[in-house]
């Protein structure tokens, strides 16, 4: 009983303090193999009422792949300051219906954490029309830390962060230094 309470406290405190959680839906094992179809994704969230709440699957919002109502998920929480893995826990996925008291309370919490929203005060109405609100409730099971690296290939995207530098750039930079 004491072990379960300590696990629950660790899950709550770590998830509350972390800005992102890594979520893999579909009830896959805690340590995935190379053939897993559903990727682990970093998702922003809010911790309230003993669960993590996520909003997504709408235009301009984060994707929530593999998080089906009544399904399972594995959540990995990282340290906010060092970025290392603190705890991995199993969760039960529940999709909330727009307009219910629980949905309203969760949206009130999420609204304050949503950065760069294009529609400001109209955001909750857009979420009700176009998005899914998901609750990840811990089932009590935590996974042990892995022996090796769980590094995965990034999700394919058309975005690029690095391109080759133009051939003339080093000469241009050296000229500027000489002038000074």
């Amino acid at each position: 009983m004491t072990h379960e309470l300590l696990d629950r406290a660790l899950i709550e405190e770590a998830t509350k303090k972390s800005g992102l959680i890594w979520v893999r839906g579909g009830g896959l094992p805690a340590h995935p193999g190379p053939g897993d179809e559903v990727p682990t994704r970093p998702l922003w969230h809010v911790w309230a009422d003993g669960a993590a709440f996520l909003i997504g699957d709408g235009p301009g919002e984060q994707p929530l792949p593999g998080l089906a109502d009544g399904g399972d998920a594995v959540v990995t929480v990282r340290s906010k300051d060092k970025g290392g893995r603190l705890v991995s826990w199993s969760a039960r996925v529940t999709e909330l219906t727009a307009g219910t008291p629980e949905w309203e309370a969760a949206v009130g919490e999420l609204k304050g954490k949503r950065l760069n929203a294009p529609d400001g005060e109209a955001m909750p109405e857009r979420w009700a029309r176009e998005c899914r609100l998901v609750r990840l409730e811990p089932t009590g099971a935590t996974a042990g830390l892995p022996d090796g690296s769980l590094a995965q290939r990034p999700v394919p995207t058309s975005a690029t962060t690095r391109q080759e530098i133009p051939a003339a750039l080093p000469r241009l930079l050296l000229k500027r230094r000489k002038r000074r």
Side-chain angles (χ1 to χ4, degrees):
M1 182 67 175
T2 304
H3 183 66
E4 290 174 14
L5 290 174
L6 289 174
D7 280 350
R8 185 75 170 183
L10 174 63
I11 289 169
E12 181 172 345
E13 203 56 34
T15 308
K16 221 188 268 188
K17 289 185 177 181
S18 182
L20 289 174
I21 54 176
W22 292 81
V23 180
R24 183 178 53 262
L28 298 173
H31 306 297
D36 291 335
E37 295 95 24
V38 180
T40 301
R41 291 206 181 249
L43 302 171
W44 70 273
H45 69 288
V46 166
W47 182 271
D49 298 326
F53 290 91
L54 311 168
I55 191 84
D57 280 350
E61 300 295 340
Q62 61 191 354
L64 303 175
L67 296 180
D69 190 27
D72 295 322
V74 175
V75 178
T76 301
V77 182
R78 66 185 181 96
S79 166
K80 193 170 186 172
D81 57 345
K82 301 289 184 186
R85 175 191 322 264
L86 289 177
V87 65
S88 291
W89 48 277
S90 299
R92 181 176 39 258
V93 180
T94 307
E95 189 169 337
L96 304 179
T97 306
T100 62
E102 188 177 24
W103 188 90
E104 296 291 340
V107 164
E109 295 286 332
L110 285 162
K111 184 179 171 186
K113 295 266 292 208
R114 174 63 164 96
L115 302 176
N116 304 324
D119 48 0
E121 291 301 316
M123 187 171 40
E125 291 83 27
R126 179 175 56 85
W127 284 350
R129 283 188 322 269
E130 302 171 355
C131 296
R132 295 174 48 220
L133 177 57
V134 175
R135 174 187 168 103
L136 300 179
E137 185 176 354
T139 59
T142 58
L145 294 176
D147 292 335
S149 171
L150 295 181
Q152 295 181 2
R153 296 189 64 74
V155 177
T157 178
S158 60
T160 61
T161 57
R162 189 160 191 173
Q163 298 176 351
E164 290 185 35
I165 61 170
L169 186 61
R171 283 182 281 158
L172 291 171
L173 293 175
L174 288 175
K175 268 188 187 178
R176 287 185 184 160
R177 287 187 188 159
K178 288 180 184 178
R179 287 183 195 166
R180 292 181 185 176

